[in-house]
Amino acid sequence: MVRRGDLAHLPGTFGPPVLGQTLPFIRDAEGWATSRFERYGPVFKSHFMFEPVVLFAEPDAARQVLLDRNRTFSSTEGWDPTIGELFARGLMLRDFDDHRHHRRIMQAAFRSEAMSGYLDLILPIVAAQLAGWERGSTVDFYAEMKQLTLRIASRVFLGLPLGTASDRVNRAFAEAVAASVAPVRWEVPGSAYRRGMRARRRLQRFFDALIDDRRAGTGTDMLTRLCQAESDDGRFFTDDEIVDHTIFLLLAAHDTTTSTLATMAWELARNPELQSAVRAEAGGLGGGRLSWDERDALPLMDAVMKEAMRLHPAVPFIPRRALGDVDVAGTFVPAGTMISVSPLLIHRHPEVWTSPELFDPSRFSAERNEHKSHSHAYIPFGGGAHTCIGMHFAGLMAKAILADVLRDFSLDAFPGQQVQIQTVPIPKPRGGLPLRLEPAG
């Protein structure tokens, strides 16, 4: 860990000792980061989560750090201070050859044949959830989507029927996620971190009890595929590795998709004409529901999803630790420094995007292609070796859900309604997202 004085050559401020700017970062990470970008520029220093950090908000730095051709930046050590114990040894917390080895085995769970099977499992769960909605009523769309994606994760990832067992898993997982930004990082009685670590241990015990059955089973769920996945040299995951990867995949799958769906719904509720156009596009699907063969048949919905992830990326800050002295796009960074590439800020960089604060899906059209102005102008799923392994699954799930919602309902905002997004640990609307359900038309 570097000392504050080692970063004296960089603009920015640290705040008070120990906590630094941790509390304002947790309260309003978007406002905190944006104000510092405007004051100090695309590279600045800070101090949060108990140590000095250098933030980078420019595509050139993102490309160098995420591609990491010289193996200079550790993802393991970058994520360890926040989720290292809670989501230990997940794919994002592995580096270099070890990461590559595990990713190759896990890839079996994300091949086309597997993804097609997951879609078949998803659609009935969506239909069952929407069957409980009433036209003319108001729902907390975020809460509904969180419940729905957790149910999907329980069925698709774990092969669990909906019910008490999946509800217990979901509650434990929510406690583990909440603990990831807890300022107190010890298991003090009554603390969020203690609740999160207890939840982690419950998940470990629960998943471990499923492994023998899944190894011998014929299921199509992701846990079964991980239990049976084999590397090129004939190696299988150990029981502990399966548990670690399963816990991490739940983190990577359901909360991030919930976040994207909520942002999409809010923007469509505020833009009725755009919502009508997306509904008409989804209405052209054969059978009225997304199928595997039609997964690329919704270009407008895809652009809405991309724009939602541009403004509110599920991972707004990507941490790494510099393993040696390094020049990052013209900025000297000493060995041991915690750095953070910020998709949140890069996605709003005024030199990269036209009217960056405006929700405008047409920026992803073939005529504009703003996201292609730089290889790392748009990085909602990270980049390089650590590009999110489940990004295609997440997109498939989000589009399948939204197509079904819009087929049956119009999502309407209330007059004067305002929504504030809480940025960390994963973006979500503060206080929920109440929307009126009206007949589609």
Side-chain angles (χ1 to χ4, degrees), residues 205-417:
R205 291 192 296 270
F206 184 85
F207 295 155
D208 189 64
L210 298 176
I211 289 176
D212 287 344
D213 178 67
R214 297 298 193 274
R215 283 199 190 279
T218 58
T220 58
D221 58 274
M222 199 171 291
L223 179 57
T224 296
R225 294 180 185 276
L226 287 178
C227 288
Q228 298 175 2
E230 184 177 1
S231 67
D232 294 338
D233 59 0
R235 182 182 180 277
F236 293 88
F237 283 141
T238 66
D239 289 6
D240 287 345
E241 288 170 339
I242 291 169
V243 170
D244 291 336
H245 285 312
T246 301
I247 292 174
F248 179 77
L249 283 172
L250 283 170
L251 166 69
H254 93 274
D255 257 10
T256 55
T257 306
T258 301
S259 173
T260 299
L261 280 164
T263 307
M264 293 172 73
W266 171 237
E267 295 296 345
L268 292 176
R270 293 201 297 170
N271 295 276
E273 291 185 4
L274 177 61
Q275 183 177 164
S276 294
V278 175
R279 178 179 295 107
E281 180 184 70
L285 294 171
R289 310 185 80 182
L290 186 66
S291 68
W292 176 248
D293 291 338
E294 294 175 298
R295 62 191 181 278
D296 298 322
L298 300 172
L300 179 57
M301 186 185 293
D302 190 65
V304 170
M305 181 174 66
K306 287 177 178 175
E307 181 70 339
M309 291 189 292
R310 182 188 70 84
L311 282 172
H312 301 288
V315 183
F317 303 94
I318 303 175
R320 297 287 189 269
R321 192 179 298 281
L323 299 178
D325 291 349
V326 60
D327 182 289
V328 180
T331 297
F332 173 71
V333 174
T337 302
M338 180 69 77
I339 67 172
S340 181
V341 170
S342 177
L344 176 73
L345 293 177
I346 292 172
H347 290 179
R348 296 166 183 247
H349 199 305
E351 295 180 9
V352 178
W353 304 91
T354 304
S355 302
E357 298 302 319
L358 181 67
F359 186 86
D360 181 10
S362 68
R363 68 177 79 247
F364 291 93
S365 65
E367 293 75 24
R368 293 176 63 181
N369 272 336
E370 288 189 13
H371 61 303
K372 295 184 178 180
S373 63
H374 187 287
S375 63
H376 286 67
Y378 182 66
I379 48 174
F381 294 104
H386 282 276
T387 300
C388 176
I389 194 171
M391 67 181 202
H392 297 300
F393 172 77
L396 181 72
M397 180 163 65
K399 287 187 283 189
I401 292 171
L402 195 61
D404 269 19
V405 169
L406 294 181
R407 184 191 63 230
D408 296 333
F409 300 97
S410 171
L411 302 173
D412 293 358
F414 292 91
Q417 184 176 0

Side-chain angles (χ1 to χ4, degrees), residues 111-251:
R111 294 188 182 124
S112 294
E113 174 267 330
M115 295 269 284
S116 176
Y118 300 153
L119 184 60
D120 292 339
L121 297 174
I122 289 170
L123 293 175
I125 301 173
V126 178
Q129 181 94 0
L130 300 189
W133 290 10
E134 295 183 5
R135 292 168 180 81
S137 66
T138 297
V139 299
D140 181 340
F141 191 85
Y142 177 80
E144 288 283 332
M145 291 301 100
K146 186 171 180 63
Q147 181 184 59
L148 175 57
T149 57
L150 281 167
R151 288 178 170 178
I152 289 171
S154 293
R155 180 68 184 90
V156 173
F157 281 38
L158 308 176
L160 295 177
L162 302 184
T164 304
S166 63
D167 289 344
R168 286 201 304 270
V169 169
N170 296 341
R171 285 194 298 271
F173 182 74
E175 291 176 346
V177 171
S180 65
V181 291
V184 177
R185 312 300 292 181
W186 301 277
E187 293 192 49
V188 178
S191 68
Y193 198 74
R194 187 183 192 190
R195 289 193 296 273
M197 287 303 299
R198 285 183 167 181
R200 159 83 193 194
R201 290 189 282 269
R202 290 200 303 273
L203 291 171
Q204 285 176 305
R205 291 192 296 270
F206 184 85
F207 295 155
D208 189 64
L210 298 176
I211 289 176
D212 287 344
D213 178 67
R214 297 298 193 274
R215 283 199 190 279
T218 58
T220 58
D221 58 274
M222 199 171 291
L223 179 57
T224 296
R225 294 180 185 276
L226 287 178
C227 288
Q228 298 175 2
E230 184 177 1
S231 67
D232 294 338
D233 59 0
R235 182 182 180 277
F236 293 88
F237 283 141
T238 66
D239 289 6
D240 287 345
E241 288 170 339
I242 291 169
V243 170
D244 291 336
H245 285 312
T246 301
I247 292 174
F248 179 77
L249 283 172
L250 283 170
L251 166 69

